Amino acid sequence: MKSNSSIYLFSSSLLFNKEAVPNFDNFNNENSYQLYSSLLLNHKEILDNCSKSYRIIFCFDDNDKSFIPKEFRSNNEEIIFGDLNHKIELLKLMSDKYFSNSSNNLLIFSNSIGISFTDIQKAFNLLSIEDEAIVIGKTNRDKIVFIGFNSFNKELFLDLNWDSLNYDNLLARIGKHDNFLHVLGNYLAINDIIDFKNLYVELSKKESLSYCSQNMHERFTNLFIEYKELLK
């Protein structure tokens, strides 16, 4: 039986419309698309294993609506479309239609990796208290990869700059409100070539199989081979 908790995989940008996908650092259009889609599909593999325990909602840009890949065309997939250039408006919609229907909510950003099923369970356990609580997943470069909450504080969340979330700014905002705060770390957000190099290092470790299957490793390996000069 599912708990009253929801996970939202939140697109960081256009993902599926190849002509409009933003280029990643020095990558060409096709390989930028491959990187973004691989990160997304890696999350989907993890979330598929969570679907018996939690409600799963995918949040994509309106301009991706006509380009959704086959992995997301199942009748069981729950998808929200919105304008990612106006994330606050999308969050207002999600607050009114979704957040209030779940005791605990976890927003995961699609440009991240390193979040396992165990991490998701831990985040929800930390939120399962009567007092207002927030859990943050961060990287060693102080980027945010997920935010969880058991009460949607509009004053806090709708005042954030969702286009450039970083740990210090978020911490300063949260400090103005009365919440229990939990921080989980050692994740990756893939925003530039330094992050791509760190991804290469992390996926070379056996422990990475807990959050990245062998099949997904092979997808990333193709990109590592393509850009091996950048990894030196």
Side-chain angles (χ1 to χ4, degrees), residues 120-141:
I120 290 171
Q121 289 178 309
K122 184 174 184 179
F124 279 125
N125 285 338
L126 292 170
L127 294 174
S128 297
I129 61 175
E130 294 202 4
D131 296 298
E132 292 189 11
I134 294 174
V135 60
I136 296 172
K138 66 183 284 286
T139 74
N140 290 334
R141 300 181 73 191

mmCIF file of all heavy atoms in Angstrom, residues 120-141:
data_model
loop_
_atom_site.group_PDB
_atom_site.id
_atom_site.type_symbol
_atom_site.label_atom_id
_atom_site.label_comp_id
_atom_site.label_asym_id
_atom_site.label_seq_id
_atom_site.Cartn_x
_atom_site.Cartn_y
_atom_site.Cartn_z
ATOM 1 N N ILE A 120 16.126 8.134 -0.803
ATOM 2 C CA ILE A 120 14.744 8.617 -0.843
ATOM 3 C C ILE A 120 13.986 8.176 0.411
ATOM 4 O O ILE A 120 13.273 8.974 1.034
ATOM 5 C CB ILE A 120 14.046 8.114 -2.120
ATOM 6 C CG1 ILE A 120 14.644 8.818 -3.351
ATOM 7 C CG2 ILE A 120 12.537 8.338 -2.049
ATOM 8 C CD1 ILE A 120 14.199 8.250 -4.670
ATOM 9 N N GLN A 121 14.166 6.927 0.804
ATOM 10 C CA GLN A 121 13.532 6.440 2.029
ATOM 11 C C GLN A 121 14.003 7.235 3.245
ATOM 12 O O GLN A 121 13.204 7.593 4.120
ATOM 13 C CB GLN A 121 13.838 4.952 2.230
ATOM 14 C CG GLN A 121 13.136 4.028 1.255
ATOM 15 C CD GLN A 121 13.515 2.587 1.478
ATOM 16 O OE1 GLN A 121 14.695 2.248 1.551
ATOM 17 N NE2 GLN A 121 12.513 1.728 1.616
ATOM 18 N N LYS A 122 15.295 7.520 3.297
ATOM 19 C CA LYS A 122 15.858 8.278 4.421
ATOM 20 C C LYS A 122 15.266 9.683 4.470
ATOM 21 O O LYS A 122 14.907 10.183 5.546
ATOM 22 C CB LYS A 122 17.379 8.354 4.300
ATOM 23 C CG LYS A 122 18.050 9.044 5.471
ATOM 24 C CD LYS A 122 19.562 8.958 5.386
ATOM 25 C CE LYS A 122 20.213 9.582 6.626
ATOM 26 N NZ LYS A 122 21.696 9.484 6.570
ATOM 27 N N ALA A 123 15.141 10.321 3.295
ATOM 28 C CA ALA A 123 14.567 11.669 3.239
ATOM 29 C C ALA A 123 13.144 11.673 3.780
ATOM 30 O O ALA A 123 12.772 12.546 4.584
ATOM 31 C CB ALA A 123 14.605 12.190 1.805
ATOM 32 N N PHE A 124 12.340 10.703 3.359
ATOM 33 C CA PHE A 124 10.951 10.656 3.832
ATOM 34 C C PHE A 124 10.866 10.320 5.318
ATOM 35 O O PHE A 124 9.987 10.824 6.027
ATOM 36 C CB PHE A 124 10.145 9.667 3.003
ATOM 37 C CG PHE A 124 9.665 10.234 1.696
ATOM 38 C CD1 PHE A 124 9.956 9.612 0.489
ATOM 39 C CD2 PHE A 124 8.908 11.398 1.655
ATOM 40 C CE1 PHE A 124 9.511 10.135 -0.718
ATOM 41 C CE2 PHE A 124 8.453 11.931 0.460
ATOM 42 C CZ PHE A 124 8.761 11.301 -0.728
ATOM 43 N N ASN A 125 11.782 9.499 5.802
ATOM 44 C CA ASN A 125 11.787 9.202 7.241
ATOM 45 C C ASN A 125 12.063 10.461 8.051
ATOM 46 O O ASN A 125 11.468 10.674 9.116
ATOM 47 C CB ASN A 125 12.845 8.143 7.556
ATOM 48 C CG ASN A 125 12.435 6.745 7.121
ATOM 49 O OD1 ASN A 125 11.247 6.473 6.955
ATOM 50 N ND2 ASN A 125 13.406 5.871 6.920
ATOM 51 N N LEU A 126 12.949 11.318 7.553
ATOM 52 C CA LEU A 126 13.284 12.560 8.240
ATOM 53 C C LEU A 126 12.113 13.545 8.233
ATOM 54 O O LEU A 126 11.991 14.395 9.121
ATOM 55 C CB LEU A 126 14.509 13.210 7.601
ATOM 56 C CG LEU A 126 15.831 12.456 7.794
ATOM 57 C CD1 LEU A 126 16.919 13.055 6.913
ATOM 58 C CD2 LEU A 126 16.267 12.485 9.261
ATOM 59 N N LEU A 127 11.257 13.426 7.225
ATOM 60 C CA LEU A 127 10.098 14.314 7.127
ATOM 61 C C LEU A 127 8.897 13.814 7.925
ATOM 62 O O LEU A 127 7.939 14.567 8.137
ATOM 63 C CB LEU A 127 9.684 14.463 5.656
ATOM 64 C CG LEU A 127 10.676 15.176 4.733
ATOM 65 C CD1 LEU A 127 10.191 15.103 3.290
ATOM 66 C CD2 LEU A 127 10.877 16.626 5.154
ATOM 67 N N SER A 128 8.961 12.582 8.370
ATOM 68 C CA SER A 128 7.797 11.958 9.013
ATOM 69 C C SER A 128 7.717 12.310 10.494
ATOM 70 O O SER A 128 7.758 11.443 11.379
ATOM 71 C CB SER A 128 7.837 10.444 8.818
ATOM 72 O OG SER A 128 7.752 10.126 7.444
ATOM 73 N N ILE A 129 7.623 13.609 10.756
ATOM 74 C CA ILE A 129 7.441 14.099 12.118
ATOM 75 C C ILE A 129 6.285 15.105 12.108
ATOM 76 O O ILE A 129 5.866 15.563 11.046
ATOM 77 C CB ILE A 129 8.724 14.775 12.657
ATOM 78 C CG1 ILE A 129 9.104 15.979 11.789
ATOM 79 C CG2 ILE A 129 9.857 13.771 12.741
ATOM 80 C CD1 ILE A 129 10.291 16.763 12.333
ATOM 81 N N GLU A 130 5.771 15.436 13.265
ATOM 82 C CA GLU A 130 4.632 16.345 13.321
ATOM 83 C C GLU A 130 5.039 17.796 13.109
ATOM 84 O O GLU A 130 4.270 18.594 12.585
ATOM 85 C CB GLU A 130 3.912 16.183 14.665
ATOM 86 C CG GLU A 130 3.272 14.811 14.821
ATOM 87 C CD GLU A 130 2.151 14.811 15.848
ATOM 88 O OE1 GLU A 130 1.828 15.888 16.375
ATOM 89 O OE2 GLU A 130 1.612 13.723 16.096
ATOM 90 N N ASP A 131 6.247 18.158 13.509
ATOM 91 C CA ASP A 131 6.727 19.526 13.310
ATOM 92 C C ASP A 131 7.103 19.758 11.855
ATOM 93 O O ASP A 131 7.397 18.803 11.114
ATOM 94 C CB ASP A 131 7.942 19.788 14.199
ATOM 95 C CG ASP A 131 7.604 19.709 15.683
ATOM 96 O OD1 ASP A 131 6.784 20.524 16.130
ATOM 97 O OD2 ASP A 131 8.151 18.824 16.359
ATOM 98 N N GLU A 132 7.106 21.021 11.442
ATOM 99 C CA GLU A 132 7.491 21.338 10.069
ATOM 100 C C GLU A 132 8.968 21.025 9.848
ATOM 101 O O GLU A 132 9.826 21.425 10.635
ATOM 102 C CB GLU A 132 7.218 22.819 9.767
ATOM 103 C CG GLU A 132 5.740 23.156 9.726
ATOM 104 C CD GLU A 132 5.461 24.556 9.217
ATOM 105 O OE1 GLU A 132 6.395 25.207 8.702
ATOM 106 O OE2 GLU A 132 4.305 25.008 9.332
ATOM 107 N N ALA A 133 9.234 20.299 8.772
ATOM 108 C CA ALA A 133 10.610 19.865 8.504
ATOM 109 C C ALA A 133 10.933 20.015 7.026
ATOM 110 O O ALA A 133 10.064 19.923 6.161
ATOM 111 C CB ALA A 133 10.801 18.410 8.940
ATOM 112 N N ILE A 134 12.211 20.249 6.767
ATOM 113 C CA ILE A 134 12.735 20.344 5.406
ATOM 114 C C ILE A 134 13.980 19.476 5.328
ATOM 115 O O ILE A 134 14.804 19.452 6.259
ATOM 116 C CB ILE A 134 13.095 21.806 5.048
ATOM 117 C CG1 ILE A 134 11.840 22.670 4.990
ATOM 118 C CG2 ILE A 134 13.843 21.885 3.716
ATOM 119 C CD1 ILE A 134 12.122 24.156 4.795
ATOM 120 N N VAL A 135 14.128 18.753 4.247
ATOM 121 C CA VAL A 135 15.345 17.989 4.007
ATOM 122 C C VAL A 135 15.939 18.438 2.677
ATOM 123 O O VAL A 135 15.226 18.615 1.691
ATOM 124 C CB VAL A 135 15.075 16.458 4.019
ATOM 125 C CG1 VAL A 135 14.072 16.056 2.951
ATOM 126 C CG2 VAL A 135 16.363 15.672 3.869
ATOM 127 N N ILE A 136 17.245 18.652 2.676
ATOM 128 C CA ILE A 136 17.945 19.139 1.495
ATOM 129 C C ILE A 136 19.004 18.124 1.085
ATOM 130 O O ILE A 136 19.731 17.592 1.927
ATOM 131 C CB ILE A 136 18.646 20.492 1.782
ATOM 132 C CG1 ILE A 136 17.642 21.582 2.111
ATOM 133 C CG2 ILE A 136 19.522 20.911 0.606
ATOM 134 C CD1 ILE A 136 18.290 22.872 2.593
ATOM 135 N N GLY A 137 19.097 17.871 -0.207
ATOM 136 C CA GLY A 137 20.194 17.090 -0.758
ATOM 137 C C GLY A 137 21.128 18.038 -1.476
ATOM 138 O O GLY A 137 20.686 18.806 -2.332
ATOM 139 N N LYS A 138 22.421 18.011 -1.146
ATOM 140 C CA LYS A 138 23.357 18.965 -1.722
ATOM 141 C C LYS A 138 24.594 18.270 -2.268
ATOM 142 O O LYS A 138 24.869 17.103 -1.972
ATOM 143 C CB LYS A 138 23.773 20.018 -0.684
ATOM 144 C CG LYS A 138 24.573 19.455 0.486
ATOM 145 C CD LYS A 138 24.899 20.536 1.522
ATOM 146 C CE LYS A 138 26.013 21.452 1.063
ATOM 147 N NZ LYS A 138 27.346 20.798 1.123
ATOM 148 N N THR A 139 25.340 19.005 -3.082
ATOM 149 C CA THR A 139 26.578 18.509 -3.653
ATOM 150 C C THR A 139 27.760 19.106 -2.894
ATOM 151 O O THR A 139 27.606 20.018 -2.078
ATOM 152 C CB THR A 139 26.707 18.906 -5.135
ATOM 153 O OG1 THR A 139 27.028 20.315 -5.222
ATOM 154 C CG2 THR A 139 25.410 18.640 -5.890
ATOM 155 N N ASN A 140 28.962 18.610 -3.197
ATOM 156 C CA ASN A 140 30.166 19.170 -2.585
ATOM 157 C C ASN A 140 30.464 20.574 -3.109
ATOM 158 O O ASN A 140 31.301 21.284 -2.545
ATOM 159 C CB ASN A 140 31.362 18.253 -2.840
ATOM 160 C CG ASN A 140 31.259 16.951 -2.065
ATOM 161 O OD1 ASN A 140 30.600 16.900 -1.022
ATOM 162 N ND2 ASN A 140 31.881 15.904 -2.558
ATOM 163 N N ARG A 141 29.778 20.972 -4.182
ATOM 164 C CA ARG A 141 29.932 22.326 -4.727
ATOM 165 C C ARG A 141 28.748 23.208 -4.332
ATOM 166 O O ARG A 141 28.501 24.241 -4.922
ATOM 167 C CB ARG A 141 30.076 22.262 -6.261
ATOM 168 C CG ARG A 141 31.282 21.446 -6.729
ATOM 169 C CD ARG A 141 31.384 21.438 -8.248
ATOM 170 N NE ARG A 141 31.826 22.734 -8.752
ATOM 171 C CZ ARG A 141 31.797 23.081 -10.048
ATOM 172 N NH1 ARG A 141 31.323 22.213 -10.957
ATOM 173 N NH2 ARG A 141 32.217 24.260 -10.432
#
